[in-house]
Amino acid sequence: MRLGTGGQIDRETKLSFRFDGRYYKGHPGDTLASALLANGVRLMGRSFKYHRPRGVLTAGSDEPNALVELRSGGRQEPNTRATVIELFDGLRAEPQNAWPSLKFDALAINDRLSTFLTAGFYYKTFMWPAAFWEKLYEPIIRRAAGLGAITTKPDSDAYDKGFLHCDLLIIGAGPSGLMAALTAGRAGARVILADEDFRMGGRLNAETFSISDMAASEWATQTIAELSALPNIRLMPRTTVFGAFDHGIYGAVERVSDHLPVPPEGKPRQILWRIYTQRTLLCAGALERPIAFANNDRPGIMTASALRAYVNRWAVSPAETVAVFTNNDDGHRTAADLIARGVKVAALIDTRPDAATVSGTELLAGAQVIDTTGRLGLTGITVKLANGQTRKLAVGALGVSGGWNPNVALTCHQRGRPAWDERIAGFVPAGDLPPGMTVAGAAEGQFSTHAALAGGAEKAVRALTDLDIEATLPVLPDSEDAPTRITPFWHVKGDKRAWLDFQNDVTVKDVKLAHQEGFRAVEHLKRYTTLGMATDQGKTSNMGGLAVMAELTGQTIAQTGTTIFRPPYTPVAMGVLAGRSTGADFRPSRLTPSHHWAQEQGAVFVEVGQWLRAQWFPRPGETTWRESVDREVRATRGSVGVCDVTTLGKIDVQGRDAAAFLNRIYCNGFDKLAVGRVRYGLMLREDGIAFDDGTAGRLAEDHFVVTTTTANAVPVYRHMEFARQCLWPDMDVQLISTTEAWAQYAIAGPKARKLLQKLVDPAFDISNEAFPFMACAEITICNGCPARLFRISFSGELAYELAVPTRYGDALIRRIMEAGAEFDVTPYGTEALGVMRIEKGHAAGNELNGTTTALNLGLGRMVSTKKDSIGTLLSRREGLTTADALNLVGLRPKDPQVRIPAGAHLLEKGAKAVAANDLGYVTSACYSPTLGSYIAIGFLKNGQARMGESLRAASPLTGEDVEIEIVSAHFVDPEGERLRA
Amino acid sequence: MIINHPLLGPCDAQEFVYKGDFRLIDRPDGMAESAEAAFFDYLYLRENPAGAHRELWFHEQGDRSWLVVTRNTVTHEITNVELARDVARSMGRSR
């Protein structure tokens, strides 16, 4: 119910929203939780395992219970905490983990079966048979014990990433954060002040005490106004700093548009900020922890500070009559605040027998709450008095205070290990904090407002002094400085279930079971019981769980220790981590120079790394890809074909030592290559395995052009730079990647020269005599366009590769097609390219697969023994040169029309298809239109000696088992007559 | 992480590609008598310290320098960054 006055809400404006199918009204300034409580709705969710009715436990981001599915369609978000959802007009939220409805949930039957659903229940219960786990048990458990469901529709909103730099990052805009920002801001430092709340001020917005003769919230407002006027301060409300990473880098999510029905035009929904800072001041405050007692999870039972915040900040009381249960003085403040606001407090139950009295309610000192009633919402509590008698109180809400835990999460993100502090009965930051981080205020265990203000100012001065920025301590405003008085009390003893972790339904009994079964270390306790897991990461529950464990083991809490916190502080949506990298922008697409032309031809494209390459060019009437590919192959071998090979890596190598350098990079010799000649080269890894292959052409004494495979363009360049800078730093050689600088086309087929002669300027003689196989030259074409011509062949035909500066690439393909019309020049794609290289027995990525050597590839004799090039020595290792080493061979099926499955293993006829009988494997397979037969190449043990033998290629994956004959891998033109024609 | 490039100043580690122990610079002579054993050590035996580690990083999205970065493997603290070419020369490598 809404109180008549007060609260930081705009009562003039009404907002309409829907929850669980019903419509309600709230005000700007409300959260979904405060608005629901104002409308008398306490029931907001069902628990994870037992499907118990639940309401809010907190008023902040530590909320374990009130998780809802927010919005609908592609914008639907599961597991959103009602306590931090800023209310907007038209908001729609649905409860989750309840069916058919929140009030009647069929799976509440789990609550009756709780005896069987204790910690570790599924490890024990669903063990046999093993096969049932994946298909039966897990899906059932997933459905029954779940959180919200995600939408399968695409998210229509944009998410951005941004980078910020500052001297001082202040996390949290409560009293210490505001005071620190004021101090640093006045000193002129570059400051970022980030707070997860939409209203800065932290607890100051939820308290009634005064600062400097004004209400705490008013002081906060004034201070924020002063900070807003400083140009060197960036205020970031609605921004959660979720992780402390290396070298002063922090991750933060700013919720730019989450408080609006839809993001404004041109605005992202959220921004992922990477903040680079010199110093960090953590002013994240403290989180109140509950006390465990029987049935302490009913809607209406919440932390005392939450109850106080709802009353003070939102002018909402969850019920007309409430009670407060505490073990410390802060609970008394809650009772006093409620009374002052006209809420009836039935009693203040304090576990301490010596508790100080309060006015306006009855103090039950030395008493404990031992049970509660109310199925869908609290109706009453049973109190065991100090004298042993019990008393029942009819209340609709209960505020529970078990003390405050400093919010140390970010101090643990590197090597910080919090230490136990008896004074406040809580863990405080300790160990190695992230470098450059200090902590002030409640986050370091200083709970009074005065201590927070003083700590913020002092720590800010110290941080700036570190950075040689002069800063002066401000005069602190007057504020309360109450001492912390607490007598630790963790749980009320009893037989009934008492909840520690509300989100994961972990009770005191579960911790006892974990102890009994030997899971006593805090990290084991967490994994066995799921204590502290899921969306809230145990913010309200960890402390209670380990206190109970400490009690059971007889150790102190300090000895028991705590689990540590890891990023993210609160859940971060995958969408904001992805940013703009979604859909077509998931990664860049690299387009070849002929891309637009190929699109005009109706080419089918394939992704090759980031490149989009034409795979084949269908023609009218062709119904299958095979028809197109077969035609492209026949046309190329019959007349002339053209293919864009720009994607192959190109590395320009220049310098006096260029030849000597390449001689060490390639396993075969390069120092004697003549100018104007090209050579095939094989690079090895230092361990002797084949790394990459390609050609290198010598354009001048001190100038080579190296080509690499498409996939290895980047790694080969990196490798060559390593050799140049780290292995032979004084060699006179320079490298530059020119992959994207040159558009390159393969022109292949018996008519290739005739076609080229129409393009090459007359000054250049490319006759067979003047420009033989493996020649290269810098020439001009089309009346002066600079070009490079290489007479190399991947297809086995008379072939050239013609390169022009990339900007002429589109024009060149059009000119080639025009000039080649009389020869029926045919564009071919990567499929035909692949078919022709298999027909020729040329190795490619399938064969250079990271396990094969030059010897395996049939190139063993290329490896020069006269020089020390990379990988040479270890390629001769004993294990790589055994008699039964794999050899690259050709494979032909007995029946030419039966395909050989790629990846099939080679076996003797009649041998069982098991690893022990394995003789090798098929690497590349295709249909050869030239031979009218399926063919393949692959590796066979001692294959060179087995030519003509009959074996099988069997694929257990596809079920195919094909009889094959071992032949030379050079199916077409084994003597190489065509390419020299 | 931030790597303080000796020529370019502080750069985000995302611009770099990691390789490994800087001793990869110390490639043995493949033509020497005991080359096989030396290459085995060179290629397969690495220190794996919990603490200061000198390692090779390549500024792939930058100036293409290979760097030797001294990084504490426990804390990620970077205490020294050198051009690998200078380190190689200081280790006696030349041509």
Side-chain angles (χ1 to χ4, degrees):
Chain A
M1 67 181 194
R2 188 79 74 181
L3 305 176
T5 57
Q8 292 151 35
I9 48 167
D10 172 12
R11 288 179 191 256
E12 301 303 310
T13 310
K14 284 200 168 121
L15 304 175
S16 173
F17 68 100
R18 201 182 89 159
F19 175 69
D20 196 18
R22 289 193 56 186
Y23 288 88
Y24 302 99
K25 296 258 191 264
H27 299 292
D30 264 325
T31 62
L32 176 60
S34 71
L36 284 172
L37 290 176
N39 283 279
V41 179
R42 289 179 298 173
L43 175 62
M44 297 186 202
R46 287 273 176 171
S47 74
F48 177 69
K49 194 159 76 174
Y50 300 130
H51 290 249
R52 299 262 297 185
R54 292 283 168 79
V56 291
L57 180 72
T58 72
S61 66
D62 47 345
E63 176 60 29
N65 279 342
L67 304 183
V68 299
E69 285 174 11
L70 184 63
R71 305 174 200 263
S72 58
R75 291 196 165 95
Q76 189 245 72
E77 262 180 83
N79 308 327
T80 311
R81 288 145 293 164
T83 49
V84 296
I85 299 169
E86 197 173 343
L87 198 68
F88 56 83
D89 199 47
L91 180 147
R92 275 181 65 162
E94 299 297 332
Q96 52 193 35
N97 205 26
W99 182 88
S101 77
L102 193 51
K103 286 203 170 125
F104 177 81
D105 176 6
L107 280 167
I109 186 78
N110 284 4
D111 197 26
R112 304 285 165 88
L113 300 174
S114 63
T115 324
F116 307 106
L117 296 177
T118 51
F121 79 98
Y122 44 71
Y123 304 129
K124 299 171 188 161
T125 315
F126 301 107
M127 292 281 282
W128 298 279
F132 275 30
W133 174 251
E134 217 172 292
K135 294 206 169 71
L136 184 66
Y137 298 142
E138 199 194 352
I140 290 175
I141 292 168
R142 287 254 174 254
R143 203 162 69 84
L147 295 174
I150 56 164
T151 178
T152 53
K153 296 185 181 123
D155 189 337
S156 52
D157 297 333
Y159 298 83
D160 265 330
K161 292 186 183 178
F163 299 80
L164 293 171
H165 297 260
C166 61
D167 298 318
L168 180 64
L169 168 66
I170 301 169
I171 303 167
S176 52
L178 287 174
M179 205 64 218
L182 210 51
T183 308
R186 286 171 180 166
R190 291 183 306 162
V191 178
I192 291 175
L193 176 61
D195 195 287
E196 60 179 352
D197 204 329
F198 55 89
R199 189 184 177 98
M200 287 188 158
R203 280 305 295 182
L204 297 181
N205 291 321
E207 303 294 355
T208 50
F209 53 71
S210 57
I211 297 181
S212 203
D213 294 332
M214 63 181 107
S217 61
E218 203 185 320
W219 182 85
T221 307
Q222 274 193 11
T223 306
I224 292 158
E226 181 181 342
L227 294 173
S228 308
L230 292 173
N232 51 323
I233 291 199
R234 186 183 181 114
L235 297 179
M236 299 183 75
R238 302 189 177 98
T239 302
T240 304
V241 177
F242 64 80
F245 303 98
D246 291 314
H247 302 169
I249 302 174
Y250 288 77
V253 172
E254 182 179 4
R255 291 172 294 280
V256 179
S257 309
D258 276 359
H259 60 295
L260 303 169
V262 296
E265 186 67 31
K267 290 277 186 194
R269 175 78 173 274
Q270 299 179 350
I271 300 174
L272 179 71
W273 291 106
R274 183 190 284 241
I275 302 174
Y276 297 79
T277 183
Q278 303 291 321
R279 292 289 180 276
T280 305
L281 187 52
L282 181 69
C283 302
L287 301 172
E288 198 175 27
R289 60 202 184 208
I291 295 171
F293 52 89
N295 291 311
N296 60 332
D297 65 331
R298 298 191 195 280
I301 303 178
M302 61 188 75
T303 63
S305 60
L307 191 55
R308 191 158 94 216
Y310 286 118
V311 167
N312 289 337
R313 177 170 168 182
W314 289 286
V316 162
S317 178
E320 281 178 28
T321 308
V322 306
V324 176
F325 180 30
T326 187
N327 67 351
N328 67 86
D329 280 5
D330 195 63
H332 291 240
R333 181 181 282 168
T334 298
D337 275 12
L338 296 178
I339 292 161
R341 297 284 278 126
V343 179
K344 189 171 175 228
V345 179
L348 172 61
I349 303 126
D350 195 324
T351 54
R352 300 172 297 178
D354 56 347
T357 53
V358 283
S359 58
T361 186
E362 183 182 4
L363 173 73
L364 303 176
Q368 301 168 9
V369 177
I370 57 167
D371 205 356
T372 68
T373 54
R375 198 173 67 84
L376 297 175
L378 186 69
T379 53
I381 58 173
T382 308
V383 181
K384 186 177 162 202
L385 302 173
N387 62 13
Q389 290 176 334
T390 60
R391 193 202 291 182
K392 288 190 188 228
L393 297 168
V395 294
L398 176 69
V400 184
S401 180
W404 291 78
N405 292 326
N407 195 356
V408 299
L410 283 156
T411 70
C412 302
H413 282 188
Q414 285 168 30
R415 287 162 311 285
R417 292 290 180 276
W420 182 250
D421 184 348
E422 288 290 348
R423 183 181 62 84
I424 58 162
F427 282 97
V428 291
D432 292 331
L433 267 54
M437 180 191 276
T438 47
V439 189
E444 68 158 350
Q446 301 298 329
F447 289 156
S448 83
T449 312
H450 173 78
L453 294 170
E458 281 160 24
K459 297 288 172 71
V461 168
R462 232 179 285 168
L464 297 187
T465 306
D466 272 4
L467 301 176
D468 292 328
I469 299 172
E470 206 176 307
T472 45
L473 276 175
V475 179
L476 292 178
D478 291 337
S479 57
E480 62 85 27
D481 195 14
T484 303
R485 278 196 292 254
I486 180 168
T487 305
F489 186 89
W490 305 103
H491 70 107
V492 176
K493 292 185 176 53
D495 294 334
K496 290 184 178 169
R497 280 176 298 166
W499 269 262
L500 292 162
D501 184 334
F502 294 80
Q503 185 157 95
N504 294 295
D505 270 335
V506 179
T507 65
V508 173
K509 275 186 185 177
D510 292 315
V511 177
K512 285 181 179 161
L513 188 65
H515 174 258
Q516 186 184 313
E517 305 206 341
F519 296 94
R520 294 173 192 182
V522 285
E523 298 290 352
H524 289 161
L525 170 67
K526 173 172 176 171
R527 271 83 194 169
Y528 189 66
T529 63
T530 69
L531 176 86
M533 291 191 181
T535 69
D536 68 338
Q537 288 291 296
K539 289 185 178 66
T540 55
S541 63
N542 273 350
M543 192 59 244
L546 61 93
V548 173
M549 182 57 83
E551 196 177 288
L552 291 166
T553 56
Q555 289 185 317
T556 63
I557 292 175
Q559 287 167 328
T560 305
T562 175
T563 56
I564 58 156
F565 300 94
R566 294 183 181 86
Y569 172 65
T570 50
V572 175
M574 295 303 289
V576 74
L577 292 174
R580 300 268 174 172
S581 304
T582 60
D585 298 324
F586 179 65
R587 61 176 185 180
S589 277
R590 300 171 79 183
L591 304 183
T592 63
S594 66
H595 186 81
H596 297 293
W597 171 84
Q599 257 179 332
E600 292 165 22
Q601 310 307 308
V604 173
F605 293 95
V606 60
E607 283 189 348
V608 182
Q610 294 178 338
W611 289 99
L612 279 181
R613 296 187 74 180
Q615 199 171 10
W616 64 85
F617 295 81
R619 286 223 176 131
E622 290 173 347
T623 52
T624 65
W625 66 272
R626 260 284 305 283
E627 280 180 67
S628 308
V629 172
D630 288 0
R631 170 185 50 74
E632 290 169 15
V633 172
R634 285 196 194 99
T636 302
R637 294 216 188 279
S639 180
V640 61
V642 58
C643 181
D644 190 330
V645 293
T646 303
T647 62
L648 294 181
K650 306 177 200 77
I651 299 167
D652 214 62
V653 182
Q654 298 196 37
R656 244 189 354 251
D657 293 325
F661 178 74
L662 290 182
N663 207 38
R664 294 178 188 176
I665 294 292
Y666 286 114
C667 70
N668 50 322
F670 267 83
D671 51 346
K672 297 201 174 66
L673 183 67
V675 172
R677 301 291 294 171
V678 183
R679 185 168 287 171
Y680 172 80
L682 180 66
M683 291 184 198
L684 305 181
R685 307 191 313 216
E686 196 68 271
D687 64 359
I689 302 293
F691 173 31
D692 198 63
D693 70 345
T695 60
R698 191 166 197 174
L699 296 177
E701 274 301 316
D702 57 357
H703 187 190
F704 287 78
V705 173
V706 165
T707 68
T708 74
T709 59
T710 300
N712 278 334
V714 172
V716 166
Y717 180 80
R718 189 186 300 154
H719 169 73
M720 286 170 68
E721 280 290 0
F722 171 75
R724 186 180 78 91
Q725 296 177 36
C726 299
L727 300 184
W728 307 299
D730 291 330
M731 268 191 152
D732 178 9
V733 60
Q734 299 292 329
L735 309 172
I736 187 163
S737 169
T738 57
T739 305
E740 287 175 329
W742 294 88
Q744 195 152 324
Y745 295 98
I747 299 165
K751 301 282 172 61
R753 185 183 301 119
K754 286 205 162 69
L755 191 161
L756 266 175
Q757 277 166 338
K758 296 178 70 178
L759 300 173
V760 174
D761 288 343
F764 302 97
D765 182 0
I766 58 164
S767 66
N768 198 31
E769 295 70 38
F771 199 78
F773 179 56
M774 295 309 243
C776 69
E778 288 181 290
I779 59 166
T780 61
I781 61 168
C782 306
N783 289 321
C785 177
R788 289 171 174 176
L789 188 64
F790 307 88
R791 188 167 163 191
I792 51 178
S793 178
F794 198 40
S795 58
E797 295 299 322
L798 163 65
Y800 301 83
E801 289 189 12
L802 177 62
V804 292
T806 302
R807 63 185 179 280
Y808 301 123
D810 181 76
L812 180 58
I813 186 66
R814 293 174 200 275
R815 290 294 274 277
I816 292 171
M817 293 307 292
E818 213 177 279
E822 61 175 294
F823 314 111
D824 286 328
V825 63
T826 301
Y828 63 95
T830 55
E831 285 298 325
L833 180 89
V835 169
M836 287 191 278
R837 71 100 188 160
I838 296 170
E839 288 179 337
K840 188 64 187 167
H842 280 154
N846 295 9
E847 288 73 36
L848 275 73
N849 60 14
T851 68
T852 50
T853 62
L855 182 143
N856 298 146
L857 292 162
L859 305 172
R861 272 180 296 177
M862 267 178 70
V863 184
S864 169
T865 54
K866 296 193 184 77
K867 60 168 186 164
D868 175 22
S869 60
I870 289 174
T872 300
L873 186 96
L874 291 186
S875 76
R876 295 196 292 264
R877 274 184 288 170
E878 207 178 324
L880 296 182
T881 53
T882 54
D884 67 343
L886 295 170
N887 295 146
L888 187 67
V889 295
L891 310 166
R892 288 190 78 151
K894 191 138 210 174
D895 176 348
Q897 301 315 311
V898 174
R899 71 165 208 153
I900 303 171
H905 279 254
L906 304 176
L907 300 162
E908 297 282 2
K909 283 190 276 185
K912 228 176 137 198
V914 292
N917 295 332
D918 186 32
L919 297 176
Y921 56 98
V922 179
T923 51
S924 302
C926 70
Y927 177 78
S928 164
T930 313
L931 301 176
S933 168
Y934 281 97
I935 57 169
I937 56 176
F939 292 106
L940 174 65
K941 281 183 186 172
N942 197 19
Q944 283 308 320
R946 306 190 69 158
M947 290 296 153
E949 287 186 26
S950 286
L951 296 173
R952 285 156 53 220
S955 169
L957 270 180
T958 64
E960 289 163 290
D961 197 329
V962 182
E963 199 174 324
I964 46 139
E965 189 193 343
I966 307 304
V967 295
S968 158
H970 311 297
F971 295 94
V972 170
D973 188 28
E975 304 304 323
E977 283 163 17
R978 291 193 198 190
L979 45 80
R980 289 186 177 83
Chain B
M1 291 201 299
I2 294 169
I3 294 174
N4 196 8
H5 192 299
L7 304 177
L8 302 176
C11 297
D12 198 294
Q14 286 189 333
E15 296 170 13
F16 293 80
V17 173
Y18 179 82
K19 187 172 175 79
D21 194 333
F22 88 113
R23 267 167 281 231
L24 284 168
I25 290 173
D26 206 10
R27 184 180 184 273
D29 174 6
M31 305 304 272
E33 195 66 24
S34 59
E36 204 161 316
F39 264 92
F40 174 80
D41 286 0
Y42 168 69
L43 209 56
Y44 296 111
L45 298 182
R46 297 271 200 286
E47 295 297 319
N48 184 21
H53 185 226
R54 293 180 83 191
E55 54 202 17
L56 287 159
W57 292 73
F58 182 48
H59 200 199
E60 188 148 277
Q61 291 172 56
D63 73 341
R64 297 165 285 141
S65 288
W66 277 96
L67 304 179
V68 174
V69 175
T70 307
R71 180 181 62 102
N72 186 313
T73 57
V74 178
T75 64
H76 290 184
E77 188 190 6
I78 291 175
T79 48
N80 197 17
V81 184
E82 303 153 274
L83 288 175
R85 168 170 277 176
D86 294 344
V87 175
R89 283 179 179 138
S90 74
M91 290 162 78
R93 300 204 71 88
S94 175
R95 294 172 62 85

